[in-house]
Amino acid sequence: MELLPTIWFIAIAVLWTGYLFLEGFDLGVGMLMKLFARNNTERRVLLNTIGPVWDGNEVWLLTAGGATFAAFPLWYASLFSALYLPLLVVLLALIFRAVAFEYRGKVDRDSWRNRWDWAIALGSFFAAFGVGAALALTTTGLPLNANGDREGGPMAWFSGYALLGGIAVVGFALLHALAFLALKTDGEVRHRARQWFVRLLPVLLLPIAAWALAIQFMDGSPWTWAAVVLAVAAAVTAWLLARKGSEGRAFLALGAFLVLGTASIFGAVFPVVLPSTLDSAFDLTISNASSSDYTLGLMSIVAAFGLPLVIAYQAWTYWVFRRRVSAAHIPEAHSFVPAVAARAFTTKG
């Protein structure tokens, strides 16, 4: 088995895991804007927990896509062309969500805030669902022919596995967000988030567990089955720790569940990067979908220097904004109307 393609397959799996871990909780917080928060103050608490980090978390999505494009161009071409419509929806959802973060607080009016709250919640939902569907299809297959082109119409990608993957990532994001809010907030929001986490963990993790088990029954090996067992143990540990009020350890245990679960999924399908549901002979693998050794070698050198710097900077950002947020930290709402401010300044002058 080729060394460099294997290394970059592992690297891409790590990047997707990092994206689900970091972006997972802030997509979940976005959805909880309408599902969990009871008033505007609580919604502002939720926004302040992710405000300094959400845009940095999205870099992992760009990096995962860029690494796939450079290391496995045929994988990238087949996947992104076959999933053009759902990935376009993901892009639009992320755009509306980002705009909503910036515009929500510009006018102190409930109707104004409500529209942007829905944009954040729905944008977060469709982004999480679309990414989950894409990852599920990456591991279960698409109707690809010998050239790596999709057979069928624009909805040929839609299947039970796409639906399962979408629901799985949405469920995990919601649970991860509850764990994050219990860790990052104080007061009523903190206690209610921990209660919801304990109550909903068995339900919200069922879809992602079903996805992992389906992959194991199709392509599992002894070590990937062992990873599934350890992932279940990590989920149970997270539940027990949350019940005891140990929010930080519960958050880390849930992260361990994600790492072990994604390792079991990517490990089971290896060395296939994108299966064909038409004929296994049309599968894209690390051998027939990768770039040249020269390209992969150059990428490895750049990544060896660049990736630690990115991780260090992001870790520093989380450390700087590590304090808990509560309703007491939220100032009074006010409108930002530049035209009015400009007229007032001109009159004084």
Side-chain angles (χ1 to χ4, degrees):
M1 197 65 65
E2 297 91 337
L3 177 61
L4 287 175
T6 300
I7 290 174
W8 275 98
F9 177 86
I10 296 172
I12 290 170
V14 169
L15 289 171
W16 278 115
T17 303
Y19 174 73
L20 292 175
F21 182 83
L22 295 173
E23 183 80 342
F25 67 72
D26 78 49
L27 289 174
V29 168
M31 288 183 274
L32 291 175
M33 290 282 288
K34 301 302 290 187
L35 296 173
F36 176 84
R38 294 175 175 174
N39 51 52
N40 182 49
T41 300
E42 288 193 354
R43 292 187 180 96
R44 292 177 68 190
V45 169
L46 264 61
L47 285 176
N48 275 270
T49 63
I50 61 173
V53 298
W54 69 267
D55 47 354
N57 294 341
E58 289 187 353
V59 171
W60 287 77
L61 176 63
L62 300 176
T63 307
T68 305
F69 171 78
F72 299 98
L74 293 182
W75 179 11
Y76 179 93
S78 296
L79 181 67
F80 278 67
S81 60
L83 301 181
Y84 182 85
L85 286 180
L87 292 178
L88 178 62
V89 171
V90 169
L91 178 61
L92 292 174
L94 291 174
I95 291 172
F96 273 101
R97 181 172 177 267
V99 171
F101 282 144
E102 300 297 331
Y103 275 67
R104 182 188 184 276
K106 300 301 184 185
V107 177
D108 184 18
R109 193 166 63 239
D110 288 339
S111 59
W112 172 271
R113 285 191 291 263
N114 186 57
R115 286 194 290 269
W116 293 115
D117 287 343
W118 276 111
I120 294 171
L122 292 177
S124 299
F125 170 80
F126 283 109
F129 186 90
V131 168
L135 289 176
L137 292 171
T138 296
T139 56
T140 58
L142 285 164
L144 303 177
N145 61 25
N147 294 323
D149 299 325
R150 182 198 66 211
E151 295 284 346
M155 296 299 293
W157 58 271
F158 189 78
S159 66
Y161 285 120
L163 187 62
L164 176 63
I167 296 173
V169 172
V170 168
F172 175 79
L174 287 170
L175 188 68
H176 202 33
L178 291 171
F180 178 74
L181 291 176
L183 174 65
K184 194 69 173 65
T185 63
D186 211 348
E188 172 63 20
V189 172
R190 173 187 180 183
H191 299 305
R192 199 162 75 249
R194 187 172 68 240
Q195 291 172 355
W196 279 38
F197 179 86
V198 172
R199 293 173 184 170
L200 295 178
L201 183 146
V203 177
L204 293 178
L205 289 188
L206 275 179
I208 197 168
W211 175 13
L213 287 173
I215 297 298
Q216 299 313 308
F217 282 117
M218 287 189 290
D219 302 300
S221 62
W223 82 264
T224 58
W225 274 106
V228 170
V229 173
L230 291 174
V232 173
V236 173
T237 302
W239 184 79
L240 293 173
L241 289 170
R243 284 195 64 189
K244 291 170 57 179
S246 183
E247 292 108 340
R249 293 180 180 178
F251 182 78
L252 292 176
L254 187 63
F257 165 83
L258 175 68
V259 171
L260 291 164
T262 54
S264 72
I265 292 172
F266 279 100
V269 299
F270 179 84
V272 176
V273 297
L274 186 58
S276 171
T277 56
L278 301 180
D279 190 332
S280 60
F282 302 155
D283 290 350
L284 297 180
T285 68
I286 64 168
S287 298
N288 62 22
S290 66
S291 295
S292 66
D293 285 346
Y294 176 81
T295 300
L296 296 178
L298 186 60
M299 290 173 58
S300 300
I301 294 172
V302 174
F305 288 96
L307 191 58
L309 292 176
V310 172
I311 293 174
Y313 172 76
Q314 195 161 22
W316 177 79
T317 302
Y318 276 93
W319 176 256
V320 169
F321 295 101
R322 66 188 181 278
R323 303 294 184 187
R324 289 183 181 270
V325 181
S326 70
H329 299 136
I330 305 300
E332 292 294 326
H334 63 279
S335 294
F336 175 72
V337 187
V340 173
R343 284 198 300 271
F345 180 82
T346 303
T347 302
K348 280 188 176 183

